[in-house]
Structure formats: structure tokens, C-alpha cells
Amino acid sequence: MMAKGQNMAQTGGPSKWSAFGSAFVANGFTMYPVLLLLVIVGAVVAPRFLSPTNLINILEQISVLGLTTIGLTFVVLIGRLDLSLEGIVGFAPMLAAVMLVPATSGGFGVELPSWMGLIVALGAAGLIGLFNGFMVVRVGLNPFISTLGLLVLLRGGVLIISNGRSIYSPGPALTWLGSEKVLGIPVAVLVFLFVALIVGLVFQYHRYGRALYAIGGNEEAARAAGINVDRVIWSAFFFAGLLAGLAGVLMTGRLDSAVTTQGEGIIFSAFAAAVIGGVSLGGGKGNIIGVISGVLLIGVINNLLTLAQVPSFYVQASTGAVIIVAAVLTTLASRRSSGMKTRT
Amino acid sequence: MKDVEPNPMDSSRPIVAMQGITKTFGSTRALRGVDFTVMPGEIHALLGRNGAGKSTLVSALSGFTPADGGTIRIARTEVVANGQSYAATIRDDIAHVQQTPRLFDQLTVAENLFIENPAVRTRWGGVSHARMIEKATALLAEWQIDIRPTALAGALDAGTRQLLEIIKALNRGVPVMILDEPTAALSNAEKRILFDHVRSLKARGVSFVYISHHLDEVFEVADTVTILRDGQIVTARAEVASLDVETIANLMMGKTTLRSVREDHTASDATPLLQAQDLRIRPDSAPINLTLRRGEIVALAGPVGSGKEDLAMILAGHRAPAAGSITSPTGILPQRGLVPTDRHASGYVGILGVRENVAIGGLDLLSNRLGFINRRKEAEHVGRLARQTNVIASSLEQPVGQLSGGNQQKVVFARSLCHSPEVIVALSPTRGVDVGAKEQLYALLRDLAGKGMGVVVVSDEEDEISQLANRVVIVFEQAVVDELVGDYSMKDLILRMEGVA
């Protein structure tokens, strides 16, 4: 038997460089060199790209997608998914808006005090998240089908409660976060960065984060280790819904209105950003640093294509192509670095 | 000498002839050049302890797990084994009933019985439902099984499922049948029906290879006995009448090799850690009363499907009993750690590192009031557990999926100890683990018992049990039927585990 001190002896012999490479990929930095490259390319082809106004603009645009993607990451880390987040982005602020504005502006006529706006929006978002958790944990539905149904339901729900009309100026409590600036930086960006920081710390250093990774990696092992798996799954759906609600509030604030089509298509970008950022759709893999890189990449590409005056028809198609290329890169990098096949 | 093809049913020529069969799993040589023959119309019992190579040998015979080397002849079909699959070549000559039924739960009984069976095909290649039901009804009546042919297989009880599996195989009309532990899930009445059918098929010239852990069944039904030990034949083709239980046990056991021996840390006057009172695994099973004391290593042993694993999971608090309760004299149930039975399915998280895998066993101990992990405490605690369990990894961050089987299992042990438990329940603690790691895990368990923990081990291996357990609890049909305490001998243990009290 080995002496106790030698137990941790090197068994393989990975070089310093390959160890650095593995850590680089595992910590979510894979896409940052690509981002840097894009920024350099952007600076060359479109001089306006590097202007502070444009950079802040990019950040402001991605904060909605960023919050949605962080929410999505909660459920993807445990090997589930939540399509209804897109519905929440549209539904939660719309519900708050119709509760606030007078009937003449398209509201219910409840006319809640303005400060209630944020509470109603986030409360509704959280409740929808809890409902998703209930469907998955208690009823035992596959989250794909249960959240798909809810997505369609919420899309229709927005039209019902708003009577098919967008609601303008729903009040400061709902729009402040998405429209104000502090020291020239939009509050939306600060909210996104703050949430990213807190969630990043939770994923990395909190027992809740550890439980998420354990469940995503091997649910039965997590159960055998004494983790309350059902409660964690349930809460992951709750946090996902809550963050999607927050994203919706920011969006409403930026537009100063709750629009009926708000958030349409965002779930696809959120999945793309998560996968590009190294989050494995199989669960158990991914972190906030990577998620941010995925969100930034999509934001920068959209911005660059617009600045470069690429015809709008081509913007969407090129974004799709970039998503595929980036996902391939991430998958290859993570496979090479860990030596294990992962499903992205 | 006449140059005529010999008749395969010629009773003087073996129907099965295996020569020089070898099979290696990783570093384990499961079969080391085995010769095995079966005569037509013979019931040939294959005996040996767990891990002796019985199941591997019959799996090589049926092609379920192809042999690495040697030749196999069944009836007229001859195969030279080289590790490649040959199951399709011999499909029409042999049927293999495995320990656990492989039925399609979502199909009906009739569909299961006649799957891929030409007897129910129509002229156009379709399946005649009416003919299938008719034939299935006849078959079920012949076996005196009172179920509808349209019932779903998934809804049947274990015994009926086992019988269906056997019927399905017998129904194929092959000259050789392998029955691997066919009676494990059967009631006595079902056993009688099975034996009657086996005898009548034998009279028609069908040969059987019969594996059972119940020696009394072997004496009842078998003609010939071959005994395996450590992947080699120790007794070939002995007349069953020429043997007695004593001789068979000695042959199966062989000479004892020098291994680590059990230690007894049981404090008989110590207060019990856990007490199971009138515990029922199933609502209709017999009540179980069991006490676990400090310093004691208790082994739960019994055949497949006996409920020993269920009992262990109940003791570990990971499964609710059908009735009864588990209590502790102190009133507070002690902290319990679990080493689950299949480490790949429920033991470790392959993509996470050693540190994270161990830490999930005790996240609340390692985190502060807000739930954030104390990294320094975590590193210390996990490092100490990794040293205690002898985990060998390049670092504590290495993904557990990359470690060897033995080290993965040590990580699972470390995790189960993370919450500083007073009781540890380990199911098949050394399955698929090499000899070196095995001894280290044994030493660990003895050490834990020496420190006053209560240890419950579920094992199929007599060696393992005799090296570890101060008390052996024999579980059979969801109930405790026997107990060995203190200075029991290997022979006692083998005979009890073979069901000969």
C-alpha cells in the first residue's frame, strides 16, 4: 500500500499546456478568444463598432437575452429544459401592465398602485416557474412537452389579457429598470451583471449550485448522496421563471411599453447562447462565465452585421450559421479537453 | 470405417462440446481453458461459487457474451470463438434463459411468447393475431398458468414472468436449453410445474444446462454435475448419485488461499445503533426484526430477488418499508451513509471531480449559514476522506469518470463517509473492483467498524462475506430466514447460502 502522503501522486502525465487548456475550457473561457477576434474584425470593418455608445448599446441589448439565458441555465444544468421562458418574457410584464393602466388605455381597470408593477410581474413569473416544477416533479411530465404547451398557452394569454393591443407607458415601477441610466450605464446592464455575479457565485460556491451540477451529472447518485433532488428541480424551474420575468420587465422598460409580441424567438437565442457558452444540454456542465460569452457572441454578431449593413434578410441566416459553427467549436473543445463525450 | 455424417441425436455423441474456452474481462480471467460437454437428453448441472465462471460459461455457450478463444459445437453447428459475436449462427440450436427475465413489458403475454416466431406468420409475412392468441392460450393451459394471453407482461408478478421466459425458450424447439437460476423467483408450485416440463422434454431428447444455487434442486432434477472454480473445471461430468452435499461443498470451496481475515469489534453490551421492528419489505412478506450494534459488520446474503438489497436500502433510509419502522434507542436515528449497488448508475457523477463528488455527501456540513461552501473546510475534509479511502487520482479535481473502477468505488465510499455517519450501508461494495482495491476497501470497512461504526454489507460473494462479516443474515423471499454469528466456517456459509440448512 502507498504511503499516505503519496496518494495524490500524479497518475497520468498531462503537460502544463494541456492542463491549462483543460482548465481554460472547463472554466468557460473557450469562446473569449473568438469574441476578441470578432471585436478586432468589427473595429476594422466598422469604425463605429468600438465607440462607447455602441458598446453600451450592445450590453443593453444583450441584458434581456442574458437574463433569460441565465434562467435557462438553471434548468439545463439539471438536464431539463424550459421553453415557456419565452412566454414568460412576454406574459409577466403584460399582466402587470394591464393591472396598472386604466381601462381606457387597455387595462383591466384594476388600476393597482404603480409600485405594484414589478411585484406583479415577478410574482407571476415565479408562479409560472413553480407550476412548471410541479408538472415535472409531481405530475412527471417531460419538461419538453409541458413547457412547450405552456409557451403556446402564454402566447395566447398575452393576446387575451391585452385584447391584442400593446400597452404604452405602463408606469415607472415597471419601466424604471429597463430605461434609466446610472452614470451613463443603463440600469438594465447593471441588473444583468449583478444577477450574473450572484448566480455565478451560487453555481460555483453555494451548496445549491453543487446540487444542480450533481443532479445534472447523475441524478441517482445525487439522490444516493442525500440531496433532495425533487426540491432542487422544482426550485430550478422557479428561478428560471423569475429571471425570465425580470428579463421581460427590462424589455418593457426599454420599449416603454408591453408589446404583444414581446420576447418572440428569444428562447432559441437563449439555447444557442447557453450551448455556445459550453452549457451541456445533457446537464451537469456549464458556468456563468461561459454563458456570458455565449450571450456576448450573439449580441456582437447581431450588432456587427447591422453595422456592416448586411441586408436584414441575411442577418438572421448568418446568425444561425454562426450559432452552428460556435456550437461545433465548443463541443470539440470540451471533448478534447475532458476526453469525454458530452451531449451539447 | 464408413464415411457417414453422424446423427446429431446419436446418444453416444455429445450434443454440446466446448473445448479450451477462454474469456477475459479486463484483468479478470473469468474462464481459463474450460472443456465442457453435454450429452443428448441429459440434465447437466453446473455448480460453483459466485464468480467461479458459471454464468460466463453458459453465456459463452449461447453466444450472449462471446468467448475469446476455444471451439464450440452444438448439434451440427461448429464455432471457433475469437471474441466476435456468434450468437446468430447458433440461434436455432440453443436457448438461454437468463437470471432476470427479459420480457417486453409493453407487449402482451401472447406477443412476448411468439415474438419473432415463424409459427404465427401469415402467408404475406404479417402476424396472425388470432393464431397467436390461440397458441398462447393452449400453451398457458398446458403450463397451468392462469393469466389471459392479452395481459401486459409488465403487469405480471416475478414468478410468472420467469415462467414465461422459460416457456418462450422451451417453445422454440431447440435441442439444448440453458436455465440459469430458473427457480430464483418461483414459488414451490411453479417449481413443480417447471420440473415436470423439464423432465418431459428430457424424455424427448432435449438437453439442459442447469445452474442453481439450491443444491437440493440439483439432486432432484440433474443427472450429471460439473463443478467450476476460479474459471476452471474441478470436477467434470460426475454422476449426481455419486456425490453428496459435503463433497460438493468441498469441491466448490477448494483450498483456501491466504486472504485478510475478519476482525470482531462488536461490543455486545453496546446500545444498538439501529433497530428494525416488525419491518416488512412488501405488504405480504414476513416481518423482520434486526438490530445493528456499534463495531459490528453485518452481511445480508441471499439469492437474487430475495430482497436483501431492499432491506439494505430500508436500513439506509433510502426506501420506505411497507410496514414497521426503524428506530434507535437514543430516539434520534443516527446519520447513515450509503454505498449504492451500481456505482455507474447511482454511485458517482462522472463529469465532476473527486472533490465535488465527495462533497455532495455532506454539503450542509461544509457550508456556512447562507449555504456557501467553506472552500478551506471542504478541501481539508475531502482531502482527509480521500486519504482515508486511499483514492488515487492525479488531483482532487480529476473527473471521477476517468478513474479506475476501484478508485471510483473509493470515491463513492468517501462520499458516503462525508457526513460523518455512524452507520454505513454498502451494497456490493467491491463489484467490478480489482483484488488490490478490494483488500483496501475491506481494510477500510474493518477500520470503520473498529472506530465504533455499524456496518451493513450486501454481498453475493462468500469470500467477501467471510472476510468481513461478524454476523451473516440470510434473506430469502423478503424475510430473514437464518443467521450465522461469530466464528462460523466457510462451509457453514456456503451451505446456508446454497439453501441447505
Side-chain angles (χ1 to χ4, degrees):
Chain A
M1 206 192 287
M2 291 178 103
K4 290 220 161 161
Q6 292 176 331
N7 286 340
M8 288 299 130
Q10 208 85 345
T11 50
S15 73
K16 232 188 242 172
W17 273 110
S18 81
F20 173 76
S22 300
F24 193 78
V25 171
N27 290 329
F29 291 104
T30 321
M31 275 296 135
Y32 285 93
V34 180
L35 260 176
L36 188 68
L37 198 72
L38 271 179
V39 168
I40 293 170
V41 170
V44 173
V45 299
R48 263 197 302 147
F49 177 73
L50 277 186
S51 71
T53 330
N54 188 52
L55 291 182
I56 286 180
N57 187 24
I58 293 178
L59 285 178
E60 188 173 9
Q61 277 172 359
I62 64 160
S63 53
V64 172
L65 174 62
L67 285 174
T68 313
T69 311
I70 292 174
L72 182 66
T73 305
F74 273 88
V75 283
V76 172
L77 273 185
I78 55 169
R80 300 329 200 252
L81 49 75
D82 187 348
L83 301 174
S84 72
L85 296 182
E86 176 177 318
I88 297 175
V89 170
F91 183 83
M94 181 62 86
L95 182 70
V98 294
M99 303 279 264
L100 294 178
V101 299
T104 48
S105 312
F108 279 172
V110 189
E111 292 189 51
L112 289 177
S114 141
W115 57 268
M116 289 281 286
L118 194 59
I119 295 171
V120 171
L122 295 186
L127 281 178
I128 296 170
L130 286 178
F131 175 76
N132 277 326
F134 173 79
M135 283 308 203
V136 171
V137 172
R138 281 291 151 83
V139 184
L141 287 185
N142 181 311
F144 181 86
I145 202 64
S146 67
T147 62
L148 176 70
L150 195 62
L151 164 64
V152 178
L153 195 149
L154 289 175
R155 280 259 154 263
V158 167
L159 295 176
I160 295 172
I161 59 173
S162 68
N163 227 344
R165 286 194 299 264
S166 300
I167 290 177
Y168 304 103
S169 302
L174 209 51
T175 57
W176 189 84
L177 284 175
S179 58
E180 270 319 296
K181 287 191 178 185
V182 171
L183 303 171
I185 300 169
V187 175
V189 174
L190 296 177
V191 168
F192 167 54
L193 293 178
F194 177 72
V195 169
L197 177 73
I198 298 295
V199 172
L201 288 174
V202 167
F203 280 0
Q204 214 66 25
Y205 301 113
H206 196 274
R207 47 182 294 201
Y208 180 71
R210 295 292 184 82
L212 290 175
Y213 285 102
I215 292 172
N218 185 342
E219 196 167 321
E220 286 313 307
R223 226 180 272 277
I227 290 173
N228 189 337
V229 173
D230 286 351
R231 200 166 64 191
V232 175
I233 293 176
W234 204 316
S235 63
F237 276 100
F238 169 72
F239 288 126
L242 197 65
L243 289 176
L246 189 58
V249 168
L250 295 189
M251 204 171 203
T252 293
R254 200 172 77 218
L255 306 169
D256 194 28
S257 48
V259 185
T260 51
T261 57
Q262 187 167 313
E264 264 183 20
I266 199 173
I267 195 70
F268 300 110
S269 305
F271 268 105
V275 170
I276 292 170
V279 179
S280 162
L281 293 188
K285 232 177 181 182
N287 60 25
I288 285 298
I289 294 172
V291 166
I292 292 176
S293 76
V295 174
L296 277 174
L297 197 81
I298 287 183
V300 166
I301 286 167
N302 273 328
N303 184 263
L304 266 181
L305 291 174
T306 316
L307 286 184
Q309 291 174 334
V310 174
S312 63
F313 295 158
Y314 289 85
V315 172
Q316 198 175 0
S318 345
T319 314
V322 169
I323 287 171
I324 293 176
V325 172
V328 168
L329 272 179
T330 315
T331 309
L332 290 183
S334 96
R335 193 180 302 169
R336 280 206 58 168
S337 74
S338 68
M340 274 185 287
K341 266 195 176 166
T342 44
R343 279 189 303 131
T344 40
Chain B
M1 204 182 281
K2 276 195 282 181
D3 200 24
V4 185
E5 174 94 350
N7 178 3
M9 296 308 272
D10 177 357
S11 61
S12 63
R13 191 168 180 265
I15 184 109
V16 171
M18 302 175 86
Q19 266 168 351
I21 300 297
T22 56
K23 179 75 196 174
T24 311
F25 293 109
S27 59
T28 314
R29 291 172 63 200
L31 297 174
R32 320 177 175 201
V34 172
D35 297 345
F36 181 65
T37 56
V38 180
M39 301 304 287
E42 171 182 73
I43 300 176
H44 194 142
L46 197 52
L47 298 179
R49 288 156 53 191
N50 286 309
K54 306 179 301 272
S55 287
T56 314
L57 182 62
V58 294
S59 293
L61 178 57
S62 69
F64 184 69
T65 41
D68 295 336
T71 60
I72 299 166
R73 186 180 59 75
I74 309 170
R76 287 178 203 228
T77 316
E78 202 147 351
V79 176
V80 178
N82 58 359
Q84 302 299 310
S85 173
Y86 46 79
T89 329
I90 54 177
R91 190 181 177 275
D92 293 334
D93 299 314
I94 192 157
H96 185 174
V97 179
Q98 311 210 4
Q99 289 181 26
T100 42
R102 286 158 198 273
L103 296 174
F104 300 98
D105 286 353
Q106 301 299 325
L107 298 185
T108 64
V109 170
E111 284 165 334
N112 266 292
L113 286 175
F114 289 99
I115 198 152
E116 277 295 296
N117 191 325
V120 294
R121 297 243 172 88
T122 64
R123 215 173 345 144
W124 308 106
V127 173
S128 162
H129 204 71
R131 207 184 312 163
M132 191 164 71
I133 297 282
E134 182 194 321
K135 280 178 181 285
T137 313
L139 211 52
L140 291 172
E142 188 192 328
W143 281 77
Q144 303 163 38
I145 304 175
D146 189 22
I147 49 171
R148 284 175 298 114
T150 50
L152 283 186
L156 304 174
D157 65 72
T160 315
R161 289 167 61 82
Q162 184 76 55
L163 271 185
L164 276 188
E165 181 76 17
I166 295 168
I167 296 170
K168 194 171 97 185
L170 293 177
N171 198 29
R172 272 177 47 205
V174 293
V176 183
M177 294 271 324
I178 300 166
L179 300 178
D180 191 349
E181 299 259 13
T183 57
L186 297 188
S187 67
N188 276 328
E190 288 168 331
K191 249 183 239 180
R192 292 272 80 78
I193 302 172
L194 171 66
F195 288 168
D196 288 345
H197 277 84
V198 166
R199 287 199 193 92
S200 81
L201 282 165
K202 173 192 161 184
R204 284 191 253 152
V206 177
S207 310
F208 289 87
V209 179
Y210 191 92
I211 297 180
S212 175
H213 266 295
H214 297 278
L215 288 180
D216 44 350
E217 286 176 9
V218 171
F219 283 107
E220 181 178 344
V221 77
D223 307 310
T224 319
V225 173
T226 290
I227 300 177
L228 274 172
R229 189 170 69 224
D230 299 330
Q232 284 169 316
I233 300 278
V234 288
T235 305
R237 302 195 53 79
E239 287 290 317
V240 76
S242 68
L243 297 167
D244 55 39
V245 173
E246 195 82 349
T247 324
I248 290 177
N250 282 330
L251 286 167
M252 281 164 68
M253 191 158 56
K255 64 175 194 308
T256 42
T257 41
L258 197 61
R259 292 197 183 89
S260 63
V261 289
R262 63 175 178 264
E263 296 162 11
D264 199 342
H265 300 286
T266 317
S268 50
D269 53 338
T271 50
L273 276 165
L274 283 181
Q275 279 175 317
Q277 279 156 350
D278 293 330
L279 202 75
R280 286 173 205 268
I281 298 174
R282 292 195 196 145
D284 56 348
S285 60
I288 294 171
N289 288 292
L290 200 62
T291 306
L292 181 67
R293 288 196 179 74
R294 287 188 182 281
E296 183 178 42
I297 303 182
V298 176
L300 305 182
V304 177
S306 61
K308 59 183 190 292
E309 268 146 2
D310 299 316
L311 179 57
M313 291 302 272
I314 292 171
L315 291 174
H318 278 259
R319 218 196 110 159
S325 63
I326 294 185
T327 54
S328 163
T330 59
I332 308 153
L333 278 176
Q335 189 61 236
R336 289 165 280 175
L338 172 71
V339 176
T341 182
D342 180 347
R343 69 171 166 277
H344 304 293
S346 51
Y348 62 90
V349 185
I351 55 177
L352 295 184
V354 175
R355 174 177 55 83
E356 286 165 294
N357 263 284
V358 175
I360 56 172
L363 287 174
D364 47 340
L365 283 189
L366 300 172
S367 51
N368 64 15
R369 259 190 310 141
L370 289 174
F372 281 94
I373 310 272
N374 182 334
R375 306 269 285 168
R376 200 171 47 83
K377 200 166 161 189
E378 182 192 22
E380 270 174 26
H381 193 59
V382 171
R384 190 167 59 241
L385 288 168
R387 277 193 300 279
Q388 190 187 356
T389 52
N390 272 300
V391 175
I392 298 174
S394 62
S395 79
L396 285 181
E397 303 308 314
Q398 190 178 11
V400 175
Q402 293 177 355
L403 302 179
S404 70
N407 279 302
Q408 288 173 344
Q409 190 69 355
K410 291 177 197 169
V411 170
V412 178
F413 267 88
R415 185 193 69 197
S416 72
L417 294 171
C418 190
H419 215 287
S420 314
E422 287 181 279
V423 173
I424 182 164
V425 178
L427 288 84
S428 311
T430 63
R431 183 180 287 173
V433 160
D434 65 276
V435 182
K438 230 177 201 179
E439 286 300 333
Q440 288 178 339
L441 289 173
Y442 292 163
L444 173 70
L445 284 172
R446 286 188 206 111
D447 181 51
L448 294 173
K451 286 176 179 157
M453 274 173 67
V455 179
V456 177
V457 172
V458 174
S459 179
D460 287 319
E461 295 177 38
E462 293 94 346
D463 272 333
E464 180 163 289
I465 293 174
S466 96
Q467 278 179 268
L468 282 174
N470 315 121
R471 188 149 66 94
V472 186
V473 173
I474 310 281
V475 185
F476 187 68
E477 289 180 348
Q478 277 71 42
V480 171
V481 294
D482 206 347
E483 202 175 84
L484 283 167
V485 195
D487 205 18
Y488 59 90
S489 72
M490 190 68 176
K491 198 182 284 175
D492 286 342
L493 180 61
I494 289 179
L495 289 179
R496 307 271 174 131
M497 284 182 71
E498 301 297 322
V500 187

